[in-house]
Amino acid sequence: MLRPSLERVFRQDSLNPEQRLAAEHRGGPLLVLAGAGTGKTATLSARVASLLDEGADPQRILLLTFTRRAAREMINRTSSLVGERAAVGKVTGGTFHSVGHRFVRSYASALGLPADFGLLDAGDGADVLDLVRNELGHPAGERRFPRKQTLADIYTRTVNAQRPVREIVAELFPWCEEHVDAVAGILRGYSARKRSLGVLDLDDLLLHWRALVQDETTGPHIAGTFDHVLVDEYQDVNGIQADIVHSLHQRGCSVTAVGDDFQAIYSFRSASVEHILGFPGKFEGTKTVTLDRNYRGTQPLLDVANAVSAQDARGYPKVLRATRPGGNRPQLVQCRDQSQEAELVCDQVLADREDGLLLREQAVLARTGHDTDLLELELSRRRIPYVKYGGLRYLEAAHVKDFLAALRLADAPGDEMSWFRLLQLAEGVGPGRSRRVLEALLGRGETSPRLWERWPAAAAELPSSARPALTALAGAIRAAGDTDLPPGPATDRLRTALDPLVRAHYADGEVRMQDLAALVTAAGEASDLRTFFAEVLLDPPASSQDLAVPPHLDEDWLVLSTVHSAKGLEWQSVHLIAAYDGNFPADMAAGSAEGIAEERRLLYVALTRARRSLRVYSPHRYYHRPGGSGDTHGYGKVSRFLDGEAQALFDVVAAPGDSHRFAPGAIGGARVRVDVDELFA
DNA sequence: TTCTCGAGCAAGCAC
DNA sequence: TGCTCGAGAA
């Protein structure tokens, strides 16, 4: 039963009967099927608030979310409900990876890991794989031999599916099958190398966490620290994550899973919609609550989403119903090509802004990061500020990797790969010299305490022009590794030392250094360097904007995002671009029924982000990367998911104007030559 | 040994 | 289109 105070709070927050049921359910596993926009966050927050109100210890509540942003939002909402920020703040929250990391660190010795084990992100892992591949004598140039990224994909699919590599390769990478023995050897070498380096990659964190929870000694210990485990976005868990949750359940934790099987879009990360579909069967005594009242969109928009979801007979049936009345029909905009698409989007964005809609209330969604390339040009030309989420990730930018390499060395000065990377920032230093410097610096397996004494000898291998900057950098790394120095000043020293190297090495060094300033600001709020490093790696900022200090109130920008990164977010106005068949579904995914089903769900996620206005653009002619030889353009139809029935729910708009002016072949076989060669005769 | 440049080829979403 | 690798010059 709820106390009167909370009773009032719930009513104020207007929980509907189903949401209330979910918030107040006690005993036994709970599955909340929450359609898009049905107040999932409000419900989970209310449930946490209700548990706290009953006297639950916040530290004994575990909240597993997909991103740190989601965890933060949940905790903020909960504290506005209970009004005790401090108590709520003690709730253990984060992503599977970050929470797993905390346990693996605590139980490192039980796992036979060094107490100060390091972390590899996806890019680091691929680099180590590349190293092993070359050592085993498979140069990257060899015909049809998988590249490092492909090797990394094979590795992660294999361990996450827990199936033999031969099966995975045969099924998902058939073009690599002739090399499967060599691939298996490289993966074995990769595991051995990680052990000898004392590092874990992202998959290892989950594997080790699961091992801890399943172990008869450590398992009860870990499960015993929690009474309640709440998992958000359950449709996107993979087999290992599902095992972890199930083990916690078996060891006595009360489990709540929240998700929407129709928003499962992460199968490429080995997530499977089967885990949410099979939840009631696996967790005995499950109470299932379905939320289908939509508080986000208007009915004309939801009708389209419903029409798309109805094409898939599987899953929990649900039809979204709007709670807000009225609304306009969505538009399906047929345009000539992607440059016209970019113009039309800009026109509309500016028109809506004239009507008082902030840029931040508008978003442009796309299948892939580079679908927005042309649009970004047009936005810059018209001076419309924007922030881009997804696509090329922040951590993959070379200068950010440089900075993280320095950060890693502060914690682990013996890290060969990081040194190798940083040394080559200097002019006149390549792989050859780096190797000699490292030989002098790291010796043969000697331990690190004496490492800094060897720096002068190591620096002697450097060309004199490179010596001052690298010596300064080494000094900054050594100072940053001193635990007495707080993370803010420590990272600032690193940044200062990197400054001349970054400016000289990259053409746009100026801009890159500003990015790093944002990282230093973020580091200032962390408790120590190692924690900061882990946080950045395990929950990377979606863009440098994520790290920046809170922007001024008068700043406003349009949001560009991939559909994947847009999950869980909403805007007043949404533009979905490049919705042609071949992109929705992507050609790559169109080979299998499950692949197509997932693409449909991806479109569904995009369609359900809008509150008031939705425009879907389908360019007739689009650019694509040449797959073989010949034309680099394709002629597309609108996505097959927007069939006749779905299209009838749109206002179909043909782009205005000159649809024939640039039509291919209009001039027949004419050849117009421009030739200045005679000038150089 | 480092750097530059051209050829050849691959492919997206991300903790 | 943009990365990676190999050839060849400084």
Side-chain angles (χ1 to χ4, degrees):
Chain A
M1 280 305 280
L2 290 168
R3 285 207 312 244
S5 63
L6 202 57
E7 179 80 20
R8 194 175 61 243
V9 167
F10 276 8
R11 202 172 294 135
Q12 276 169 0
D13 207 44
S14 8
L15 290 192
N16 67 38
E18 298 81 38
Q19 293 175 326
R20 243 188 123 97
L21 202 59
E24 295 173 15
H25 171 76
R26 294 296 181 269
L30 172 68
L31 173 63
V32 182
L33 294 167
T38 54
K40 183 189 66 170
T41 306
T43 306
L44 254 185
S45 305
R47 180 165 174 79
V48 174
S50 153
L51 290 169
L52 291 176
D53 194 66
E54 262 185 6
D57 179 351
Q59 295 190 59
R60 298 182 58 79
I61 296 177
L62 172 62
L63 186 58
L64 289 166
T65 54
F66 210 61
T67 62
R68 190 167 45 204
R69 181 174 51 187
R72 212 185 304 128
E73 195 185 332
M74 209 84 79
I75 285 176
N76 285 344
R77 286 198 65 163
T78 308
S79 38
S80 73
L81 284 179
V82 266
E84 291 171 54
R85 175 166 278 273
V88 180
K90 287 183 194 149
V91 170
T92 308
T95 61
F96 272 93
H97 286 87
S98 66
V99 173
H101 174 242
R102 275 178 248 169
F103 281 116
V104 174
R105 250 201 213 288
S106 305
Y107 290 83
S109 67
L111 289 160
L113 295 167
D116 59 346
F117 67 84
L119 292 174
L120 300 179
D121 74 6
D124 302 328
D127 287 343
V128 175
L129 275 164
D130 207 34
L131 207 76
V132 174
R133 186 252 301 274
N134 283 308
E135 282 172 5
L136 292 180
H138 296 280
E142 201 172 309
R143 282 231 156 266
R144 300 279 292 169
F145 199 86
R147 314 182 127 212
K148 64 177 177 182
Q149 191 52 60
T150 312
L151 290 169
D153 287 347
I154 295 173
Y155 165 77
T156 193
R157 305 288 305 218
T158 302
V159 298
N160 279 301
Q162 297 280 286
R163 289 171 53 204
V165 66
R166 277 158 220 285
E167 284 180 30
I168 297 291
V169 168
E171 200 172 298
L172 298 167
F173 305 86
W175 63 92
C176 302
E177 230 177 334
E178 57 175 311
H179 296 296
V180 71
D181 292 320
V183 169
I186 290 171
L187 298 193
R188 282 193 300 274
Y190 174 63
S191 290
R193 178 57 70 96
K194 281 187 298 180
R195 268 195 299 279
S196 71
L197 291 173
V199 296
L200 297 184
D201 63 27
L202 295 172
D203 293 323
D204 291 330
L205 288 177
L206 296 182
L207 290 168
H208 283 81
W209 186 17
R210 181 178 67 172
L212 284 173
V213 184
Q214 291 182 341
D215 182 82
E216 284 312 321
T217 311
T218 54
H221 226 262
I222 290 176
T225 46
F226 301 113
D227 297 321
H228 300 277
V229 178
L230 297 92
V231 191
D232 193 14
E233 309 280 15
Y234 200 82
Q235 75 281 0
D236 286 325
V237 299
N238 67 28
I240 297 171
Q241 293 164 328
D243 285 349
I244 291 168
V245 175
H246 192 243
S247 291
L248 289 171
H249 159 70
Q250 284 180 316
R251 297 196 186 281
C253 296
S254 146
V255 169
T256 300
V258 184
D260 177 5
D261 53 297
F262 218 81
Q263 292 186 68
I265 54 175
Y266 280 93
S267 74
F268 66 91
R269 232 166 60 185
S270 303
S272 168
V273 70
E274 301 303 326
H275 298 120
I276 193 166
L277 294 177
F279 188 94
K282 195 159 182 200
F283 292 73
E284 204 179 322
T286 292
K287 164 84 180 168
T288 302
V289 176
T290 304
L291 309 180
D292 59 2
R293 299 193 207 189
N294 181 294
Y295 296 90
R296 179 182 295 152
T298 55
Q299 196 61 48
L301 306 189
L302 298 183
D303 286 342
V304 173
N306 287 332
V308 169
S309 68
Q311 294 165 11
D312 189 342
R314 283 200 64 199
Y316 300 104
K318 71 180 80 62
V319 177
L320 295 176
R321 313 218 167 278
T323 50
R324 297 190 299 134
N328 296 321
R329 281 154 63 93
Q331 287 187 2
L332 179 62
V333 183
Q334 310 249 9
C335 39
R336 183 185 66 232
D337 56 21
Q338 283 168 305
S339 62
Q340 191 187 35
E341 176 184 77
E343 286 170 25
L344 292 171
V345 170
C346 289
D347 290 347
Q348 191 62 50
V349 164
L350 290 176
D352 287 345
R353 202 176 101 93
E354 285 300 302
D355 290 342
L357 195 59
L358 286 174
L359 292 177
R360 255 178 295 170
E361 290 293 338
Q362 309 182 43
V364 179
L365 307 185
R367 176 74 180 76
T368 71
H370 66 242
D371 282 331
T372 57
D373 288 350
L374 273 175
L375 176 65
E376 288 178 65
L377 279 178
E378 186 65 16
L379 288 168
S380 307
R381 203 176 64 73
R382 301 205 198 183
R383 304 194 186 285
I384 302 173
Y386 66 90
V387 178
K388 187 173 173 181
Y389 292 93
L392 176 79
R393 267 148 72 238
Y394 190 63
L395 289 193
E396 282 160 24
H399 60 296
V400 176
K401 283 175 129 178
D402 297 335
F403 185 77
L404 291 178
L407 213 53
R408 173 177 278 144
L409 286 174
D411 187 43
D415 189 289
E416 208 172 329
M417 301 209 37
S418 296
W419 277 117
F420 199 63
R421 172 177 194 99
L422 287 179
L423 291 170
Q424 292 180 69
L425 277 178
E427 182 97 35
V429 183
R433 274 181 204 276
S434 297
R435 220 161 274 131
R436 290 210 300 272
V437 172
L438 285 176
E439 199 133 313
L441 189 64
L442 304 174
R444 285 188 209 89
E446 271 185 68
T447 44
S448 51
R450 312 194 67 81
L451 178 143
W452 296 112
E453 294 170 20
R454 290 193 290 267
W455 173 259
E461 299 287 344
L462 293 165
S464 57
S465 62
R467 222 168 285 152
L470 287 176
T471 299
L473 179 59
I477 288 169
R478 186 182 184 179
D482 186 338
T483 43
D484 291 338
L485 194 59
T491 47
D492 196 44
R493 258 202 90 168
L494 290 176
R495 194 190 75 93
T496 308
L498 273 170
D499 190 274
L501 290 163
V502 166
R503 275 174 209 275
H505 195 259
Y506 303 100
D508 54 347
E510 183 74 28
V511 186
R512 289 172 186 258
M513 286 313 294
Q514 285 167 18
D515 270 357
L516 298 189
L519 268 171
V520 171
T521 308
E525 289 166 25
S527 54
D528 63 276
L529 265 196
R530 187 188 288 168
T531 309
F532 174 67
F533 182 80
E535 273 178 13
V536 173
L537 225 69
L538 298 179
D539 194 1
S543 77
S544 59
Q545 202 70 47
D546 256 16
L547 283 169
V549 288
H552 299 299
L553 279 177
D554 55 16
E555 281 184 43
D556 192 20
W557 55 78
L558 180 68
V559 175
L560 268 51
S561 176
T562 60
V563 178
H564 282 89
S565 298
K567 190 160 65 112
L569 304 178
E570 62 176 37
W571 295 271
Q572 292 289 346
S573 168
V574 167
H575 303 259
L576 175 66
I577 62 170
Y580 56 86
D581 211 84
N583 217 17
F584 284 97
D587 284 330
M588 241 182 290
S592 71
E594 184 39 47
I596 289 178
E598 175 145 330
E599 297 287 306
R600 186 186 290 112
R601 296 193 292 264
L602 192 61
L603 177 65
Y604 177 83
V605 169
L607 295 174
T608 49
R609 298 305 99 199
R611 290 177 62 81
R612 290 190 178 281
S613 160
L614 171 69
R615 287 185 176 76
V616 177
Y617 297 77
S618 175
H620 177 60
R621 183 166 185 264
Y622 60 91
Y623 179 82
H624 69 87
R625 308 243 239 6
S629 58
D631 199 358
T632 57
H633 292 269
Y635 295 89
K637 294 185 298 195
V638 66
S639 166
R640 73 188 66 172
F641 304 132
L642 299 179
D643 56 15
E645 200 180 321
Q647 281 192 34
L649 300 165
F650 281 91
D651 284 336
V652 180
V653 182
D658 51 21
S659 57
H660 58 276
R661 201 168 72 186
F662 296 106
I667 312 296
R671 290 285 178 275
V672 181
R673 282 190 65 203
V674 176
D675 193 344
V676 292
D677 280 357
E678 60 190 68
L679 293 175
F680 315 129

